[in-house]
Amino acid sequence: MTDGTSQAAVRVRGLRRLFGDRAVLDGLRLEIARGEFVALLGASGSGKTTLLRILAALDGADGGEVLVPQARTVVFQEPRLVPSKKVLANVTVALPRNRSEHGLRALAEVGLERHADAWPATLSGGEAQRVALARALVREPELLLLDEPFAALDALTRLRMQDLVGELCRKHRPAVLLVTHDVDEAVRLADRVAVLRDGRLITDDPVTVDRPRDPGDPAFAALRRRLLDDLGVETTPQPATAHERTEAGVI
């Protein structure tokens, strides 16, 4: 299941996963290059988290080829911190004791170096999720798997966490798979966006919107509408912006 020689960090071919008579993943193909950020969209029950769990070796496949790096970590929707351990100990849990300095550096990267001796119960939701991110990054993963890590956060904290994750992933350059229901989040963060439906990827396209990505950018809005259409979500056509009307020669 692992591969240390491929130029791709993730290579999936013909992946099948059955639950009873239902094929949740049916001949799925996916590649993620080293340093590439891929966002995966899909309706509830489409198999997004099943794919992530297979890549994390938390679930098995019923067929196909799955090649991933040995060094991989997961950040879940819930921080999953150990209540009986302080923040630094949570970051370095199961690591050798000489990695405490690495843990402090990871906490500094997420802005929580002053919370090293705090207990998880004293943290806000956003702070706890930043600890979970530090715990994932301190292990220097070649593959970082994000399972809706911002879904439980308020809107403002979610935007800040998106910025932080984007910044740290560009710095550390792991391959990243983000599972999300949030189309704007996918477009804002990813190098590529894929849509999973009926067990296969029906969309797998690069995001060409210039960074920093503004939801008001016509290119951002056009990609959002196309992805929502691929997800089967009807959208109300928006009036053309002044820029679009000018480009069309209307004004």
Side-chain angles (χ1 to χ4, degrees):
M1 181 162 177
T2 60
D3 176 32
T5 62
S6 172
Q7 291 301 310
V10 173
R11 187 168 72 238
V12 176
R13 292 286 185 273
L15 177 60
R16 285 178 58 81
R17 181 67 173 99
L18 305 174
F19 290 97
D21 295 330
R22 180 184 171 220
V24 175
L25 301 174
D26 188 11
L28 186 140
R29 297 172 61 89
L30 174 68
E31 281 197 7
I32 305 177
R34 299 182 188 279
E36 186 176 29
F37 195 126
V38 176
L40 181 63
L41 296 165
S44 295
S46 63
K48 302 185 304 299
T49 293
T50 297
L51 172 59
L52 181 142
R53 288 177 58 83
I54 290 172
L55 297 182
L58 299 174
D59 194 2
D62 293 306
E65 177 186 57
V66 179
L67 300 175
V68 294
Q70 289 279 6
R72 56 195 186 275
T73 54
V74 187
V75 178
F76 296 97
Q77 182 174 335
E78 306 83 17
R80 302 191 179 189
L81 304 183
V82 181
S84 60
K85 291 181 178 291
K86 292 184 177 181
V87 163
L88 179 59
N90 264 281
V91 170
T92 59
V93 66
L95 292 180
R97 290 191 176 184
N98 62 6
R99 295 299 296 271
S100 61
E101 287 299 320
H102 294 76
L104 287 171
R105 284 199 294 270
L107 282 173
E109 286 192 316
V110 300
L112 290 177
E113 62 271 33
R114 295 183 180 179
H115 291 67
D117 290 325
W119 295 101
T122 68
L123 303 177
S124 68
E127 288 170 341
Q129 200 64 321
R130 280 190 276 160
V131 174
L133 179 59
R135 181 179 57 196
L137 291 176
V138 78
R139 286 158 171 78
E140 300 177 349
E142 295 178 58
L143 173 61
L144 176 62
L145 300 164
L146 304 172
D147 189 8
E148 299 191 62
F150 317 124
L153 305 176
D154 64 83
L156 182 58
T157 304
R158 185 182 308 137
L159 289 172
R160 289 172 174 164
M161 281 295 296
Q162 288 171 3
D163 288 342
L164 177 63
V165 165
E167 176 187 340
L168 291 176
C169 287
R170 286 189 290 274
K171 176 181 178 181
H172 290 274
R173 302 295 294 164
V176 182
L177 180 68
L178 166 68
V179 166
T180 181
H181 283 96
D182 188 330
V183 173
D184 281 19
E185 179 173 281
V187 177
R188 194 164 185 255
L189 288 175
D191 301 311
R192 280 167 47 211
V193 178
V195 175
L196 181 61
R197 190 168 74 194
D198 298 328
R200 299 180 181 227
L201 299 182
I202 64 165
T203 302
D204 187 355
D205 293 330
V207 180
T208 58
V209 184
D210 292 336
R211 297 182 188 271
R213 293 175 179 163
D214 179 1
D217 184 328
F220 190 114
L223 180 55
R224 180 202 295 121
R225 287 194 296 270
R226 183 161 65 83
L227 292 169
L228 287 170
D229 184 61
D230 290 343
L231 289 164
V233 178
E234 293 186 7
T235 58
T236 303
Q238 298 295 314
T241 65
H243 173 77
E244 290 169 326
R245 293 197 298 272
T246 300
E247 289 293 311
V250 175
I251 57 174

